[in-house]
Amino acid sequence: MRKHPGLWRFVVLAGILGTAVFMLSTIVWIGTLDISKLDNPLPEPTYIYDRGGNEASQLSSSRLEPVPLREIPVHLRNAIIAVEDRRFYDHTGIDLRAIFRALVKDVQAGNLVEGGSTITQQLAKNLFLTSEKSLARKWKEAAYAVKIEMTYDKDKILEMYLNQIYFGEGVWGVQEASKTYFGKDVRDLTLSESAMLAGLPKAPTRYSPLQNKEKALERRDVVLSLMREQNYIDEKEYRRAKAEPLRLKKEDEADLKGKYASYVDYVIEEAVKVYGFTEEQLLTGGLRIYTQLDPAVQQAAEDVYADDRFFPQSRDDIRVQSGVAIVDPYTGGVRGIVGYRGERVFRGFNHATQLKRQPGSAFKPLVVYAPALEKGYTPFSMLYDGELNIDGYSPQDWDKQTRGEVSLHEAVVRSWNIPAVWLLNEIGIDAGMEFVKKMGIPLTTGDRNLGIALGGLREGVSPLQMAQAYAAFANLGVMNKAHAITKITAKDGHVLAEAKQDSIRVMSPSTAYTMTLILQDAVRMGTGKNAELPRPTAGKTGTTELPDEKAFAGLNGVKDAWFVGYTPELAAAVWMGYDRTDRQHYLTTSGGAYPAIVFREIMSRALSGVPVSPFHQPEGFMLGREPFHSGDKKRPGQEKHKEKDKHKEKEKHEEKERQKGRDKKKREEDDD
């Protein structure tokens, strides 16, 4: 460069000029940005449509009630600044220090993990941009932040932010958040309550005091600590606020409950987990969500769950809980969901989709009998039913008796335990586990033991997972992944997300149909009699015993009760139990009682007016040496037992004749 000073000066001037042009064009572009929405930041509701394309429910935030900054307590303002943007009053919309810190963490993680956003940037993102994590979005966010800072003063920006930020439970803005959580106007909040609200925007669902009080309190204490560290409060105020107990507003069902509440909650859950939408986008984005909801099925389930006659009576104010999931076997479409009994908390715990409990004997067809049929066993196959001890594991039949041997058909219908464990050992635990995994039910290495034959799982299953698995029997061995959402579009119809048919053949048509025939008899003449409908019905009961612990010593009851079944049209799984089982709260019923009755009531109402049709039979289906149909007078294994009975009768007759001969000979000897 020393030899060419003219070239060096040209490069420097070109660089300066290029930078100047870039800065000027950026400033001009920023000036064109439209931020008029800040003057009217009302969210747009999202609409949910049923499988027929009809509007079924509206998903929206609560009423947005803006309040001026002067009515927002200073300690709430300071709490938000302390936790969200400590240099809020010092930067011009972009905090270069925070961005540098975030950039270092992003480089270390190899991904965009750290935000580094100011309050102004968050305001811009919430109103004008998506939650996409990309450099382009961050650049636009920064530009909008600069434009906002050029237009409004700091206090106005803070006021707008506090009035539109999302605080969880379907509410936006500090006024509605204060009313929802504490039942009071925002101006009346204490320091402790303000700190709790300030901790919510980072993860509203995770830190919601209505969802998890312990995490909410931990988060509140973090905010208080930051306020002390930044000299917004002193040590005395910190200790007093930290010691203040959590006093929440009593739930008002009318404020939170929407139409088809359980189903809507699951739609939100699926949109977040499967398609990556945020809760804020779903509640304020004016989206159109098309679903598999069947209003007739959903209403039938809700009506049954509203009738206490169909559920065990609670001993106190703690209800026996329950959840039901109903799916279409041929598409995987979730037709109906009820996830709880009693009052609803927005996006509260859904017993139909989030529950994980041991399924008991309802698991036998999935992990034992269907895999055995795949390996060549038939309903006529004779299984061992005697004293059993395999590596220290000794199951018992529920009647504490044994029969020596029983047919596979009888073992399912009567829900005997010993034959199921013996058969799983015969076909191999790995075969059973692999079959279950194909059915969409995850297992752990800790599940690899013979107890899995009786539903003894480490983590358990949900009703939705069980309904999805049993649906494969009705669909001749093809399992369709259960899903509620068909597609999600913007207000203008632009498709943002769309479901794809996720089908997998998990067993042969012959195995699926054979299992259906057996499970029909489990309903018609076995443990599932209470589920029988005036149409083809198949299913299986499930009951799990109380834990073998000192806390339950001397009690005669159960922890969980299930019924999982299907008709040619729908598959459903019903669970009942307590959220927390203890000596005062446990079931004294079984899967064949209340859960089976709930299944029957829901299905009979949901299918009212639907023509009766048979289960699909594979072409040329033959079972063993002759066709087998559920309802035949002749049962699998019956012929073998008849032969035994004939043999015994013959032996008795022959012994009787021999005895006559001996008696005659004795009389003749006496005469002599």
Side-chain angles (χ1 to χ4, degrees):
M1 287 292 182
R2 291 179 182 177
K3 295 181 180 180
H4 305 282
L7 179 61
W8 169 246
R9 284 194 296 271
F10 175 77
V11 171
V12 172
L13 289 173
I16 294 173
L17 182 60
T19 302
V21 171
F22 174 75
M23 293 294 293
L24 181 62
S25 61
T26 300
I27 292 172
V28 172
W29 174 60
I30 290 175
T32 64
L33 295 176
D34 181 12
I35 59 172
S36 60
K37 189 175 181 180
L38 282 168
D39 298 323
N40 184 29
L42 293 175
E44 292 188 53
T46 288
Y47 293 94
I48 294 177
Y49 296 85
D50 63 29
R51 61 190 297 253
N54 303 305
E55 186 179 314
S57 186
Q58 179 176 312
L59 188 61
S60 64
S61 68
S62 61
R63 299 176 305 277
L64 196 63
E65 188 177 339
V67 290
L69 192 65
R70 64 178 179 273
E71 293 187 18
I72 301 174
V74 173
H75 46 245
L76 175 54
R77 302 182 222 167
N78 291 338
I80 286 288
I81 291 172
V83 71
E84 293 291 334
D85 185 3
R86 65 174 62 193
R87 286 174 27 85
F88 173 68
Y89 281 102
D90 298 326
H91 60 66
T92 57
I94 306 170
D95 189 346
L96 295 179
R97 294 184 192 176
I99 290 175
F100 180 75
R101 286 196 306 270
L103 183 60
V104 171
K105 292 185 178 181
D106 288 346
V107 171
Q108 292 173 341
N111 196 1
L112 293 173
V113 296
E114 188 70 17
S117 296
T118 64
I119 282 177
T120 315
Q121 285 176 272
Q122 292 180 53
L123 179 64
K125 182 187 73 173
N126 291 342
L127 290 179
F128 306 117
L129 304 167
T130 68
S131 295
E132 174 193 7
K133 287 191 174 184
S134 68
L135 291 176
R137 198 272 293 164
K138 293 294 290 183
W139 174 252
K140 292 179 181 178
E141 178 186 293
Y144 271 109
V146 171
K147 177 66 178 288
I148 292 171
E149 293 270 354
M150 292 168 58
T151 309
Y152 301 95
D153 63 33
K154 288 288 187 178
D155 284 348
K156 185 61 178 178
I157 292 171
L158 183 60
E159 177 185 292
M160 291 188 291
Y161 177 79
L162 290 171
N163 276 308
Q164 68 83 41
I165 193 171
Y166 183 60
F167 285 94
E169 304 300 331
V171 295
W172 273 256
V174 289
Q175 175 71 339
E176 280 304 304
S178 180
K179 289 182 177 180
T180 296
Y181 292 110
F182 304 112
K184 59 174 70 173
D185 288 326
V186 65
R187 62 173 175 267
D188 299 323
L189 289 176
T190 66
L191 170 59
S192 176
E193 293 166 343
S194 294
M196 179 163 287
L197 287 190
L200 289 174
K202 181 178 180 179
T205 301
R206 177 182 175 85
Y207 297 125
S208 169
L210 300 182
Q211 307 279 357
N212 192 319
K213 291 183 179 180
E214 291 182 2
K215 287 190 180 298
L217 287 171
E218 289 176 6
R219 180 65 175 164
R220 177 203 66 180
D221 294 347
V222 168
V223 176
L224 289 171
S225 179
L226 289 171
M227 294 181 73
R228 180 187 58 178
E229 177 188 312
Q230 297 172 42
N231 298 317
Y232 286 117
I233 58 175
D234 58 30
E235 184 66 24
K236 185 178 180 180
E237 291 173 307
Y238 167 75
R239 292 184 180 277
R240 188 188 308 123
K242 188 175 179 182
E244 184 178 308
L246 180 61
R247 299 185 183 92
L248 296 174
K249 170 192 173 185
K250 291 185 178 180
E251 291 300 329
D252 184 351
E253 186 178 8
D255 288 342
L256 295 174
K257 189 173 182 180
K259 195 171 184 182
Y260 306 142
S262 289
Y263 198 98
V264 169
D265 282 353
Y266 181 64
V267 168
I268 297 174
E269 180 184 339
E270 191 174 288
V272 171
K273 290 184 177 180
V274 178
Y275 298 106
F277 287 85
T278 65
E279 192 171 285
E280 295 94 322
Q281 288 173 319
L282 295 169
L283 295 174
T284 64
L287 303 177
R288 305 294 186 261
I289 305 179
Y290 296 85
T291 73
Q292 294 284 327
L293 170 70
D294 186 326
V297 175
Q298 180 67 25
Q299 194 61 57
E302 291 190 7
D303 289 346
V304 171
Y305 268 69
D307 194 332
D308 290 340
R309 293 178 303 160
F310 302 123
F311 298 87
Q313 186 174 358
S314 302
R315 297 186 178 186
D316 48 29
D317 59 346
I318 299 178
R319 287 174 179 259
V320 173
Q321 271 303 336
S322 183
V324 60
I326 309 154
V327 303
D328 182 336
Y330 312 107
T331 66
V334 179
R335 296 287 186 247
I337 284 178
V338 176
Y340 40 77
R341 297 180 64 219
E343 294 184 355
R344 179 214 183 191
V345 174
F346 179 78
R347 288 201 72 187
F349 187 77
N350 193 321
H351 296 86
T353 63
Q354 298 172 316
L355 178 91
K356 297 292 183 184
R357 289 292 181 91
Q358 294 185 352
S361 292
F363 212 54
K364 292 174 182 175
L366 304 179
V367 74
V368 179
Y369 295 115
L373 293 174
E374 284 284 271
K375 285 182 172 292
Y377 283 78
T378 75
F380 306 92
S381 299
M382 301 307 295
L383 312 180
Y384 178 74
D385 183 31
E387 296 298 323
L388 189 65
N389 187 316
I390 303 176
D391 297 329
Y393 182 54
S394 300
Q396 287 187 320
D397 288 336
W398 53 264
D399 64 351
K400 310 300 181 185
Q401 298 181 27
T402 59
R403 281 141 289 276
E405 63 175 5
V406 296
S407 68
L408 185 150
H409 173 272
E410 183 184 349
V412 177
V413 171
R414 302 300 178 193
S415 199
W416 303 129
N417 291 334
I418 294 173
V421 174
W422 176 85
L423 182 56
L424 180 60
N425 189 60
E426 289 292 305
I427 66 172
I429 297 176
D430 290 336
M433 292 183 68
E434 287 303 315
F435 192 88
V436 168
K437 290 176 183 177
K438 286 195 299 181
M439 302 289 265
I441 297 175
L443 298 175
T444 67
T445 54
D447 291 321
R448 197 183 182 283
N449 60 77
L450 290 174
I452 196 175
L454 309 182
L457 303 176
R458 288 287 183 91
E459 294 184 1
V461 292
S462 69
L464 183 59
Q465 288 174 321
M466 291 297 285
Q468 173 185 278
Y470 268 62
F473 294 136
N475 195 28
L476 293 181
V478 175
M479 189 198 75
N480 292 293
K481 186 172 177 58
H483 62 285
I485 296 172
T486 302
K487 66 177 178 178
I488 301 176
T489 74
K491 185 178 180 180
D492 61 5
H494 176 66
V495 177
L496 304 174
E498 192 165 11
K500 295 180 180 179
Q501 188 79 1
D502 190 359
S503 303
I504 179 174
R505 175 162 292 285
V506 294
M507 71 191 98
S508 69
S510 177
T511 291
Y513 187 65
T514 300
M515 202 71 247
T516 292
L517 294 177
I518 298 173
L519 292 175
Q520 278 187 268
D521 281 346
V523 170
R524 197 182 69 83
M525 54 186 288
T527 57
K529 289 180 181 178
N530 282 324
E532 189 170 11
L533 295 161
R535 63 174 65 238
T537 311
K540 184 73 186 70
T541 58
T543 307
T544 62
E545 302 297 326
L546 290 173
D548 187 15
E549 301 171 0
K550 186 177 180 180
F552 299 99
L555 297 182
N556 183 23
V558 301
K559 185 173 185 288
D560 305 288
W562 294 77
F563 184 83
V564 188
Y566 53 100
T567 67
E569 298 81 18
L570 297 170
V574 179
W575 167 86
M576 284 186 196
Y578 282 97
D579 284 326
R580 176 173 291 182
T581 303
D582 55 35
R583 288 192 67 87
Q584 286 72 46
H585 305 96
Y586 60 91
L587 298 178
T588 56
T589 185
S590 67
Y594 286 100
I597 292 171
V598 167
F599 172 89
R600 183 192 68 209
E601 288 296 319
I602 292 175
M603 289 298 210
S604 62
R605 301 178 191 202
L607 297 174
S608 176
V610 176
V612 175
S613 60
F615 285 108
H616 297 305
Q617 177 176 319
E619 186 175 351
F621 175 78
M622 296 287 287
L623 188 59
R625 296 181 179 178
E626 56 183 315
F628 169 67
H629 301 282
S630 176
D632 286 350
K633 293 181 179 180
K634 184 162 51 180
R635 297 286 150 213
Q638 186 179 38
E639 287 301 315
K640 186 166 184 178
H641 287 300
K642 279 186 176 181
E643 290 298 324
K644 287 184 177 180
D645 293 340
K646 288 179 181 179
H647 184 64
K648 289 179 180 178
E649 288 296 325
K650 182 179 179 181
E651 287 183 340
K652 287 181 181 179
H653 178 72
E654 290 175 348
E655 177 60 27
K656 189 174 181 180
E657 291 300 318
R658 284 193 293 271
Q659 185 61 43
K660 285 182 180 180
R662 287 193 293 269
D663 292 342
K664 181 179 179 181
K665 184 176 181 181
K666 189 174 185 302
R667 285 195 300 271
E668 290 175 348
E669 290 175 350
D670 291 341
D671 290 342
D672 292 341

